[in-house]
Amino acid sequence: MKKVIQICIILAVALMVTACGTQPNLPEQSKSEQSKKVTEGNTFENIKKQGVLKIAVDDTFPPMEYRNEQNKLVGFDIDLANVLSKELGVKVEFIPTAWDGILPGLDAKRYDMIMSSMNITDERKKKVDFVEYMKLGQVVAVKTGNPQKIQSKEDLSGKIVGVQLGSTSESAAKEIKGVKELKTYNGYTDVFNDLGLGRLQGVIVAEAVGRYYKTTKPDAFDVVGGTFQSLPVGIAVRKGDHELEAALQKAIEKVKDNGTYTEVSKKWFGTDKSKE
């Protein structure tokens, strides 16, 4: 009888150890609910309390956001962000961030949002929520004189092509069949330098950026063909930051209605992109 009791005790203890030592996998729904609770927060409430809106930007993307000759942060997104912050009743603090780390930085709450010409894609929508504020397409840039006789993105087949790492331009370039080699760079300054040196035969770049570089260096390269793969551009906020998202959406609509958006657009593009 004692042996039977001992065996029962041993089995009971073993079962308790096993139960305590093994973390059961949560059902997908439970995981989702946990994630929702973690990501949902009071970002907008904190912004109002602190009086500061922290915005991540990649400051190597003219004319959207870049450093001028005085090393001052300027550009379309910078001006528009300042306008939006006034509508929200807070000051703005820009946090320059490398493009390849800009989404992880938002997730880590190093800043409140990203406003850096980020195209809205299905893949990115899995990670963040967006407030759309404009549309940007892609163009092909070639060395002055167009020695390769490239007239469209299809002509980049068999060519060495340069893009910014992690950009939508990189995604667009990967869809072109037959590209000989796709070189990626941290910033477009290096991309266009290599194009001028003959290390690249073509560049895929956002239209606004390509045409801006063309005005600053008219003899360095040409933009050929038309715009393609036009995509919406949005302000990225963390999943669950619904109050901030709604406030930004309202602010965007207001500055479009009162003409402030148009003023900023004409300053940087010479056209009104608020209607696009």
Side-chain angles (χ1 to χ4, degrees):
M1 178 63 70
K2 284 184 179 180
K3 287 185 178 181
V4 171
I5 293 172
Q6 287 176 339
I7 290 170
C8 290
I9 292 172
I10 291 170
L11 287 172
V13 171
L15 287 170
M16 289 175 65
V17 170
T18 302
C20 295
T22 303
Q23 181 69 26
N25 291 324
L26 292 172
E28 287 302 314
Q29 187 175 2
S30 298
K31 286 181 179 179
S32 176
E33 289 300 316
Q34 275 198 346
S35 176
K36 187 177 180 182
K37 289 178 181 178
V38 170
T39 54
E40 281 186 346
N42 54 354
T43 300
F44 189 46
E45 184 179 336
N46 289 336
I47 290 169
K48 289 187 290 185
K49 284 181 180 179
Q50 297 172 6
V52 178
L53 176 64
K54 296 181 180 179
I55 304 176
V57 294
D58 171 9
D59 58 357
T60 64
F61 205 66
M64 307 304 288
E65 47 272 321
Y66 68 104
R67 300 281 176 177
N68 64 12
E69 293 177 354
Q70 290 75 43
N71 200 37
K72 181 182 177 181
L73 190 59
V74 296
F76 172 81
D77 281 338
I78 305 304
D79 284 356
L80 187 59
N82 278 309
V83 168
L84 294 176
S85 68
K86 288 180 182 178
E87 291 295 332
L88 298 177
V90 296
K91 295 180 180 178
V92 64
E93 178 184 344
F94 294 106
I95 302 177
T97 307
W99 186 253
D100 57 356
I102 206 163
L103 282 174
L106 180 66
D107 189 52
K109 298 188 176 182
R110 298 190 188 113
Y111 27 81
D112 304 311
M113 67 185 219
I114 300 168
M115 189 168 179
S116 195
S117 313
M118 182 174 284
N119 283 117
I120 301 173
T121 65
D122 290 339
E123 188 64 30
R124 287 172 179 163
K125 284 193 289 186
K126 295 176 184 177
K127 302 174 183 177
V128 296
D129 290 328
F130 284 102
V131 178
E132 182 180 339
Y133 65 100
M134 69 182 305
K135 284 184 170 63
L136 284 178
Q138 306 293 325
V139 293
V140 177
V142 298
K143 190 174 181 179
T144 302
N146 197 5
Q148 300 293 324
K149 307 301 180 186
I150 296 168
Q151 299 299 330
S152 67
K153 62 185 178 68
E154 287 76 19
D155 292 337
L156 293 174
S157 177
K159 308 294 191 299
I160 302 173
V161 180
V163 294
Q164 184 182 36
L165 178 66
S167 67
T168 313
S169 299
E170 180 181 5
S171 301
K174 287 180 177 178
E175 293 181 5
I176 301 171
K177 296 180 179 179
V179 170
K180 181 178 180 180
E181 182 182 356
L182 184 62
K183 291 188 175 182
T184 57
Y185 300 76
N186 287 326
Y188 271 109
T189 301
D190 293 333
V191 178
F192 284 107
N193 282 342
D194 271 10
L195 179 65
L197 293 170
R199 295 171 182 163
L200 300 172
Q201 296 165 310
V203 168
I204 300 292
V205 58
E207 180 183 14
V209 179
R211 297 198 185 284
Y212 170 79
Y213 270 100
K214 176 64 179 174
T215 61
T216 59
K217 298 181 179 179
D219 299 326
F221 68 93
D222 295 319
V223 174
V224 297
T227 304
F228 63 96
Q229 205 182 75
S230 183
L231 292 172
V233 175
I235 300 169
V237 300
R238 283 184 290 274
K239 286 285 186 183
D241 270 338
H242 304 304
E243 289 186 13
L244 177 58
E245 181 183 354
L248 289 168
Q249 184 64 59
K250 185 177 179 180
I252 287 289
E253 291 170 0
K254 188 170 182 179
V255 297
K256 284 187 175 183
D257 289 341
N258 65 23
T260 312
Y261 187 110
T262 299
E263 292 176 11
V264 176
S265 179
K266 287 185 175 180
K267 172 184 174 181
W268 290 102
F269 307 122
T271 60
D272 183 7
K273 296 187 76 66
S274 66
K275 303 292 192 296
E276 296 181 8

